Amino acid sequence: MERKAKKTPEDNREPVVAGDSREGRIVKALSGYYYVKDDENDSGDTVQCRARGVFKKRGLSPLVGDRVAYVLTENGEGTVTELRERSSELIRPPVANIDVAILVFSVTEPALNLQLLDKFLVHIEHAGIPAVLCLSKRDLEAEGEMTEEAAEAASSVQRIYRKLGYEVFGTSSRKHSGIEELQARLRGHLAVFAGQSGVGKSSLLNAIVPGLTLETNEISNRLGRGKHTTRHVELVDIGGGYVADTPGFSQLDFGELGIEDLGYCFVEMRELSPSCKFRGCTHVHEPGCAVLSALEDGDIERSRYDNYLLFLEEMKDIKRRY
């Protein structure tokens, strides 16, 4: 996931086209059209809009999730005339105003990988978006269909990440357990689900919004998970909130992340780094390093620190190649 610096202008207005100005949110973007759901329309219908040419001239592009002002045109379509200020902006996936990221990891099938979990957390922390952890397929754990290694990994998530301040939800789409609690957490938010393939993201959405099965499959096809299809981002209305159904999390790399940013993306290191002796401390070998001291005292989880070192090496390899 990649963060982009805010580039929303204080004033991007042009003379309004005939018609009253309305407010809404872009819920889909496809082939140069933006589909806006009006704030005063409870039916779920959207207005197909084009954007004013002024946006392109100023290096701006409306994104799914954007709050916008628009006007209706004579042909029943609309024109986006203003972009409201964004609280967050992502390039991959291209979506704005995400205010919570749900990291979905199954307790087994596929096996729970703490290194991959930390990699997702680094990208989401770098984007400045609050992260919530969701352990799916908990029915397999309850029914004893887990290996000892998988059970230990699930227990580690609860022990390590709650202490760091992350919320952890346990869900089972098959038994519908934990779904209401997760839906309540999403209410009033624009969320993105992230996680490796096969962890049950679509099943979770289907459980949260009964009857979504066909729609979710259609969205997945339109997003390019089948042949000869178009990839795009779309917001799914989950009743009181939105989830961005997005193809943007299939690959994670550190190409856009500076080495000096990595420590900041580990919340425990971010809190300790002001106490390090040297400014710009890499937390690897420097004397007077508060992170190394905490690691020695057992106040930092060894698995998290080891993953930090792995990511640091990965980033250095990328820099060397370029």
Side-chain angles (χ1 to χ4, degrees):
M1 184 191 302
E2 182 181 342
R3 178 178 60 182
K4 183 178 179 182
K6 290 181 182 176
K7 202 176 181 181
T8 305
E10 293 180 2
D11 187 2
N12 53 24
R13 296 173 181 156
E14 272 198 346
V16 174
V17 184
D20 293 333
S21 182
R22 299 163 178 253
E23 297 281 330
R25 185 188 296 276
I26 297 175
V27 295
K28 182 171 71 171
L30 183 63
S31 303
Y33 284 100
Y34 301 96
Y35 296 83
V36 177
K37 185 178 184 303
D38 194 284
D39 288 349
E40 297 183 9
N41 185 348
D42 295 326
S43 68
D45 294 336
T46 59
V47 179
Q48 181 175 284
C49 297
R50 290 284 193 182
R52 305 305 304 265
V54 68
F55 295 129
K56 189 172 183 179
K57 292 176 184 175
R58 295 179 181 176
L60 296 169
S61 179
L63 296 176
V64 169
D66 263 329
R67 301 277 314 152
V68 300
Y70 76 101
V71 293
L72 292 176
T73 53
E74 293 178 357
N75 62 359
E77 295 186 351
T79 301
V80 175
T81 58
E82 290 184 67
L83 303 181
R84 301 307 186 202
E85 186 175 358
R86 294 166 178 162
S87 61
S88 65
E89 179 181 347
L90 304 175
I91 298 174
R92 289 192 298 269
V95 61
N97 296 318
I98 294 291
D99 57 10
V100 63
I102 310 297
L103 293 187
V104 185
F105 277 74
S106 66
V107 292
T108 187
E109 299 178 9
L112 208 168
N113 184 327
L114 295 185
Q115 182 180 322
L116 186 59
L117 172 56
D118 281 339
K119 183 173 276 195
F120 270 102
L121 281 172
V122 163
H123 284 266
I124 289 168
E125 289 285 351
H126 184 244
I129 297 171
V132 172
L133 309 186
C134 175
L135 298 182
S136 64
K137 305 184 182 181
R138 293 304 295 265
D139 52 290
L140 298 179
E141 181 181 13
E143 293 168 7
E145 298 179 26
M146 287 176 59
T147 64
E148 185 176 331
E149 184 179 4
E152 184 178 335
S155 175
S156 294
V157 170
Q158 298 282 358
R159 176 177 57 81
I160 296 170
Y161 295 90
R162 282 188 187 278
K163 188 170 70 173
L164 294 173
Y166 293 111
E167 298 172 78
V168 182
F169 289 80
T171 62
S172 166
S173 301
R174 188 159 61 115
K175 294 199 168 183
H176 209 81
S177 65
I179 300 301
E180 290 181 4
E181 291 84 352
L182 182 60
Q183 185 173 20
R185 177 63 179 83
L186 294 171
R187 197 163 291 129
H189 293 282
L190 202 169
V192 65
F193 278 27
Q196 66 189 118
S197 298
V199 297
K201 297 188 293 292
S202 294
S203 297
L204 272 177
L205 275 175
N206 292 335
I208 290 171
V209 186
L212 189 63
T213 306
L214 180 60
E215 183 182 347
T216 301
N217 289 339
E218 288 174 349
I219 289 172
S220 295
N221 288 334
R222 289 200 302 273
L223 287 176
R225 298 187 185 118
K227 294 181 180 178
H228 312 300
T229 52
T230 301
R231 296 171 67 86
H232 71 279
V233 180
E234 185 164 345
L235 299 186
V236 177
D237 190 337
I238 58 170
Y242 287 100
V243 170
D245 189 273
T246 165
F249 294 102
S250 57
Q251 293 185 350
L252 292 173
D253 63 62
F254 294 115
E256 302 298 330
L257 193 67
I259 289 175
E260 65 281 358
D261 296 326
L262 184 61
Y264 181 86
C265 297
F266 281 76
V267 60
E268 62 273 59
M269 296 186 188
R270 181 162 73 229
E271 293 172 354
L272 287 168
S273 60
S275 300
C276 291
K277 183 177 180 180
F278 296 104
R279 191 174 179 181
C281 181
T282 64
H283 317 309
V284 176
H285 52 70
E286 294 88 344
C289 172
V291 171
L292 290 175
S293 177
L295 180 69
E296 188 176 332
D297 293 340
D299 295 329
I300 284 184
E301 192 66 33
R302 170 60 67 174
S303 68
R304 290 267 294 170
Y305 183 75
D306 288 346
N307 288 337
Y308 168 77
L309 295 180
L310 282 171
F311 300 160
L312 200 59
E313 284 305 307
E314 185 176 332
M315 294 173 71
K316 288 177 180 177
D317 286 343
I318 292 172
K319 304 299 179 188
R320 280 194 288 265
R321 286 201 298 269
Y322 292 97

